[in-house]
Amino acid sequence: MYNFNMHLDTNIHFGKGQIKKLGKDIIKYTDRLLLVYGGGSIKKNGIYDSVVAELKDNNIYFEELSGVDPNPRIESVVEGIKLCKENQLGGILAVGGGSSIDCSKVIAAGVKYDGDPWDLVLDRKKIVDAIPIFTVLTLSATGSEMNANAVISNMTTNQKLGTGMPGITLPKASVLDPEYTYTVPAKHTAAGTADIISHTFENYFTNVKGGYLQARFAEAILKTCFHYGPIACKEPDNYEARANLMWASSWAINGLLSGGSANNWSVHPMEHELSAYYDVTHGVGLAILTPHWMRYVLNDDTLDNFVDYGINVWGLDPSLDKYEIANKAIDLTQDFFCKDLNIPASLTEVGINDENFEVMAKHAANVKGGSIQGFVNLEAEDIVKIYQAAL
Amino acid sequence: MYNFNMHLDTNIHFGKGQIKKLGKDIIKYTDRLLLVYGGGSIKKNGIYDSVVAELKDNNIYFEELSGVDPNPRIESVVEGIKLCKENQLGGILAVGGGSSIDCSKVIAAGVKYDGDPWDLVLDRKKIVDAIPIFTVLTLSATGSEMNANAVISNMTTNQKLGTGMPGITLPKASVLDPEYTYTVPAKHTAAGTADIISHTFENYFTNVKGGYLQARFAEAILKTCFHYGPIACKEPDNYEARANLMWASSWAINGLLSGGSANNWSVHPMEHELSAYYDVTHGVGLAILTPHWMRYVLNDDTLDNFVDYGINVWGLDPSLDKYEIANKAIDLTQDFFCKDLNIPASLTEVGINDENFEVMAKHAANVKGGSIQGFVNLEAEDIVKIYQAAL
């Protein structure tokens, strides 16, 4: 277990009707906000009205930035910064999933930065200050509500990159009301669940030794997703399912699983290329690639990790041959994504062919300094092979 | 799952040599500290010198309060408050386990309170402000390094009571260096591990439905303690064992397991009476009482919780009869405490007889408003029966 720092300084209000706790948190920092959201579904399901009522009850003035894309783009960031500066806004409230929240984080940092905000995506070290960020979560997926990370896309350069700075772009407060996810359609519930699972895998499959507690915590989140993901897809207003998935989303990627234990991530950089080139839903891309990545990296060195996974998460019989356990666990993972969550099983099914594999693989490797040095090191040619297996 | 708030605003520096991160955190708040510690073992093992070097490197002035008892007493709190007020100290650094940290929390609140500090223990609502608290952990047990709770004893009234206020008595920063626990003797390592396990049980055995993720997180901590507790007792300088136990101690009782899911606690209020009357080591009292409490509360309503415990934590065969699984899990728990951790198996072995059972049971019930309304409600007569079973 290596040294790490952890500071989870987000005030979490979890549960039904918790929106009424938010105004008090915001007003400690500012009474002028930028309200950021996506395509407008929050106006149909009543969440927008609840949020606006809470802001008005606390005499908080706000401007709005709507239409943030599912893969949030740098253009939205630029627009948000302009609104904040023109209106002297002192904070940002994101209402949505990772897209709105991630966009808000880079807007918040951009308000305090004099150059081109894309600089902050290319080099997170340039983030040295930000106005405070608050969130109301409406999709269980990215965990952005309780971490400092943001992923922003630049469609003109075909880049989708992560940024964010602990302690600066971490939300000050987040409302996690599971009822706010009741209207999320099965398709997005499935993709969100796949995203949570993938975050967990990225931390769980590590070659760092000694993070036993972290591995067991990861298994807790995986079991929760495997148990409740299909229930939430079938019964959208099942509070227990929505609550467990929502809380799992936050803990999969806030440092609990990674601190002291995780490697660089593997599947995310490969998937980011799919989204950058084809604008595929992030969770769908992850679900398609993950089993193929698993089969590609399974070897004598990584076998025990997969055996732990098979026994502790899928309850496979420990007396079986180790490779049998590992392969069965990978098959079960693939079946879960395809059959239980109804996510397309191949890149072909989502309209992706092999024409950009070489350049995407090079991009993915270059973003990570020439190769993905994660659980198992992946050069560009390895990444091409994984893409091909996923066709 | 019920509504809850969580704000884990402690900056955690985890790992070898992390003491060198502390000065920077302290200096944000104050350059005049009260240094609080226990019996002086930190002077023998070099931790005192490392802490003092870090304070001097950052030009932080300090006064000292040493000799804090294992069950910290209100007299130490009074003395600490006096030192802070006389020397205009602006913060407290606890170096030790839960005793020094708990004592420091109530000193910190007492500095900002005009009345008798025992008021703050009798009624936590009277804690409205505190000077900042920092900790350097030297014993994995109470989790006090990452929560707002404190337990203080008053030997003149035979009371041992919990207090603390989220957001006010939560440490601002904590150094968790597993090497700082290398010199903890096997006996205290065992008692500390029992304490972590008991905190986890208190949250895990709940009649609140729907906290699936919380239950799986609890199992992660239990497995970690069962795996590494005996290793740390036998190999005191096993970094992996010390690190996993240390990190488990923080998460067992910082809200991760309780938020949305836990009942009032059961075994702790019963054990606090043992400590208050006999000054027995807290973890030892918990280890002795726990299996007897489990057997007493096992019934048709609670059976499934024990079955989950047996299967998920002890790996028992799910096809066995449910009561067989439950009873076997309880037996394994008792064996673990007695055989693997070498903790005395009965109250008799630690010199406690039945003469105070009635009054202790009444105390324990009255502290909780007449009965312990936890996983299973316990009246005073139930508590007496559990004490008797543990003789």
Side-chain angles (χ1 to χ4, degrees), chain A residues 33-40 42-43 48 55 62-69 72-84 87 89 91-96 99-108 111 152:
Chain A
L33 271 188
L34 179 67
L35 183 62
V36 175
Y37 54 97
I42 61 166
K43 291 203 172 167
Y48 177 88
L55 296 179
F62 62 94
E63 292 282 335
E64 301 189 27
L65 172 69
S66 63
V68 174
D69 290 304
R73 303 180 189 201
I74 190 65
E75 290 80 2
S76 300
V77 172
V78 172
E79 199 183 333
I81 294 169
K82 192 162 166 270
L83 280 167
C84 287
N87 297 283
L89 307 179
I92 307 187
L93 172 57
V95 181
S99 312
S100 297
I101 302 173
D102 286 9
C103 184
S104 298
K105 288 174 180 174
V106 186
I107 295 171
V111 171
I152 302 293

Side-chain angles (χ1 to χ4, degrees), chain A residues 3 6-7 9 12 16 244, chain B residues 3 6-7 9 12 16 210:
Chain A
N3 287 3
M6 181 184 280
H7 194 179
D9 185 18
I12 299 283
K16 298 178 193 183
N244 276 281
Chain B
N3 288 2
M6 179 183 281
H7 195 180
D9 185 18
I12 299 283
K16 297 178 195 186

Side-chain angles (χ1 to χ4, degrees), chain A residues 1 16 18 24 37 44 73 128 159 167 187 192 212 216 236 271 285 338 348 367 371 375 378:
Chain A
M1 205 189 296
K16 298 178 193 183
Q18 291 283 62
K24 213 173 135 191
Y37 54 97
K44 289 179 208 137
R73 303 180 189 201
V128 291
Q159 283 177 295
K187 192 178 149 186
Y212 183 98
R216 302 294 85 74
E271 195 292 320
C338 303
T348 309
V367 167
S371 68
F375 179 47
L378 301 172

Side-chain angles (χ1 to χ4, degrees), chain A residues 3-7 9-16 18 210 212-213 216-217 220 224 228 244 247-248 251, chain B residues 3-16 18 210 212-213 216-217 220 224 228 244 247-248 251:
Chain A
N3 287 3
F4 61 95
N5 171 260
M6 181 184 280
H7 194 179
D9 185 18
T10 302
N11 196 21
I12 299 283
H13 302 291
F14 192 102
K16 298 178 193 183
Q18 291 283 62
Y212 183 98
L213 176 63
R216 302 294 85 74
F217 278 151
T224 300
Y228 286 112
N244 276 281
W247 205 208
W251 290 96
Chain B
N3 288 2
F4 61 95
N5 172 259
M6 179 183 281
H7 195 180
L8 293 175
D9 185 18
T10 302
N11 196 21
I12 299 283
H13 302 290
F14 192 100
K16 297 178 195 186
Q18 291 283 62
Y212 182 98
L213 176 62
R216 303 293 86 74
F217 278 150
T224 300
Y228 287 110
N244 276 281
W247 205 209
W251 290 96

Side-chain angles (χ1 to χ4, degrees), chain B residues 249-319:
Chain B
S249 80
S250 302
W251 290 96
I253 183 175
N254 66 6
L256 182 75
L257 308 187
S258 61
S261 182
N263 286 110
N264 282 325
W265 289 17
S266 299
V267 181
H268 272 68
M270 292 192 278
E271 195 292 319
H272 282 179
E273 299 303 316
L274 301 184
S275 298
Y277 277 77
Y278 298 96
D279 216 12
V280 66
T281 302
H282 178 52
V284 170
L286 293 169
I288 294 171
L289 292 178
T290 293
H292 299 286
W293 166 76
M294 286 179 162
R295 287 197 190 96
Y296 192 82
V297 301
L298 173 61
N299 60 39
D300 288 357
D301 292 334
T302 63
L303 179 58
D304 284 344
N305 298 65
F306 285 99
V307 170
D308 279 351
Y309 171 55
I311 295 170
N312 295 336
V313 178
W314 290 107
L316 299 181
D317 180 354
S319 70

